[in-house]
């Protein structure tokens, strides 16, 4: 019977899981995903090779489980942070900035997606994409809120529009990976998305407001 390193079995499993998670992240960073094996991850984690199969049958399954475990607290924090913001434009700006910040190279956890997305089987990539479905639900809610408030233009298909927005976010993430300043990319991405979501009248009012803010005050003659 394996030795239990915690007061309860549940706590023991949690400890082992964290060791596996950290070992997988370290192995990918040092070795690359293609060359690592479950046996190697188990060795790094200091557990028996057979034990790892209680947590994941393959390295692809372990990767998906790790990404899911990283996404869940990220989504929970995003929901909490955005729930206190009434303005849909400000809520969208928060989501854009938080998501790009979470995927910046060097941040622990979610950037694992950056290192593996081009080398995975299609079904594994689809599973990783599904991990981010809750984020898309948040974005869809923001779009619907903005439409109802008259801030965003009406659209025929909100999920289709959100898919298009995902494409913009992917391009933004790749720009950051290429070395562009994250804050600049976040600002440009937010403005681009908001520009597409606003109706023509709303855009006109926003432009007038911006121009008025820049115009110097009139001087008395």
């Amino acid at each position: 019977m394996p030795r239990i390193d915690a007061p309860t079995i549940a706590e023991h499993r949690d400890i082992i899981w964290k060791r596996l998670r950290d070992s997988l992240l370290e192995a990918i960073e040092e070795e690359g995903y293609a060359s690592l094996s479950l046996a190697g991850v188990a060795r790094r984690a200091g557990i028996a090779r057979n034990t790892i199969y209680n947590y994941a049958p393959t390295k692809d399954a372990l990767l998906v489980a790790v990404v899911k475990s990283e996404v869940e607290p990220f989504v929970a924090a995003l929901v909490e942070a955005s729930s206190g913001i009434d303005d849909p434009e400000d809520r969208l700006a928060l989501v854009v900035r938080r998501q790009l910040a979470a995927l910046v190279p060097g941040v622990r956890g979610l950037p694992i997606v950056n290192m593996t997305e081009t080398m995975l089987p299609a079904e594994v990539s689809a599973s990783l994409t599904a991990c981010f479905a809750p984020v898309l639900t948040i974005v869809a809610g923001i779009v619907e809120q903005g439409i109802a408030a008259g801030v965003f233009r009406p659209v025929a298909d909100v999920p289709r529009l959100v898919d298009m927005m995902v494409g913009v976010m992917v391009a933004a993430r790749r720009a950051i990976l290429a070395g562009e300043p994250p804050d600049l990319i976040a600002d440009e991405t937010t403005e681009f998305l908001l520009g597409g979501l606003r109706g023509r009248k709303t855009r006109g009012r926003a432009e007038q407001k911006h121009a008025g803010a820049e115009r110097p005050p009139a001087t008395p003659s």
Side-chain angles (χ1 to χ4, degrees):
M1 184 174 180
R3 183 169 59 89
I4 304 299
D5 296 326
T8 67
I9 293 178
E11 290 175 296
H12 171 76
R13 285 186 60 85
D14 187 52
I15 290 172
I16 297 299
W17 167 252
K18 289 177 180 177
R19 282 158 58 182
L20 285 174
R21 167 199 174 277
D22 291 344
S23 296
L24 177 69
L25 294 174
E26 290 169 3
I28 290 176
E29 186 174 349
E30 295 175 14
E31 304 172 19
Y33 185 71
S35 61
L36 69 81
S37 65
L38 278 184
V41 174
R43 188 165 53 250
R44 280 176 175 268
I47 65 174
R49 179 175 178 176
N50 289 341
T51 301
I52 199 170
Y53 295 110
N54 295 327
Y55 297 84
T58 66
K59 71 175 186 179
D60 290 343
L62 181 60
L63 171 65
V64 172
V66 167
V67 171
K68 185 176 180 181
S69 72
E70 295 296 312
V71 170
E72 287 176 349
F74 169 75
V75 170
L78 196 59
V79 169
E80 182 178 0
S82 64
S83 63
I85 301 175
D86 294 328
D87 185 272
E89 293 194 354
D90 291 341
R91 290 185 71 204
L92 183 62
L94 172 73
V95 171
V96 170
R97 190 168 294 279
R98 286 281 187 98
Q99 187 165 355
L100 291 179
L103 292 167
V104 168
V107 176
R108 187 75 167 178
L110 284 181
I112 190 176
V113 177
N114 299 329
M115 295 182 281
T116 57
E117 66 177 351
T118 60
M119 61 182 69
L120 297 175
E123 64 273 13
V124 180
S125 294
S127 296
L128 290 182
T129 299
C131 291
F132 290 88
V135 179
L136 304 188
T137 300
I138 293 173
V139 174
I142 293 172
V143 172
E144 291 169 350
Q145 176 197 7
I147 293 172
V151 177
F152 299 155
R153 61 181 175 82
V155 296
D157 190 320
V158 171
R160 183 171 63 213
L161 178 66
V162 171
D163 283 342
M164 294 177 184
M165 295 170 71
V166 169
V168 175
M169 290 295 293
V170 169
R173 178 161 58 90
R174 288 175 179 165
I176 291 173
L177 287 175
E180 296 292 336
D183 287 342
L184 173 65
I185 296 302
D187 289 342
E188 290 181 348
T189 302
T190 300
E191 193 56 39
F192 182 83
L193 291 174
L194 289 176
L197 288 168
R198 294 170 180 141
R200 290 186 177 180
K201 292 182 180 179
T202 305
R203 284 202 299 270
R205 288 197 299 270
E207 289 166 0
Q208 290 173 8
K209 181 180 178 181
H210 181 66
E214 292 186 341
R215 187 181 300 118
T219 56
S221 56

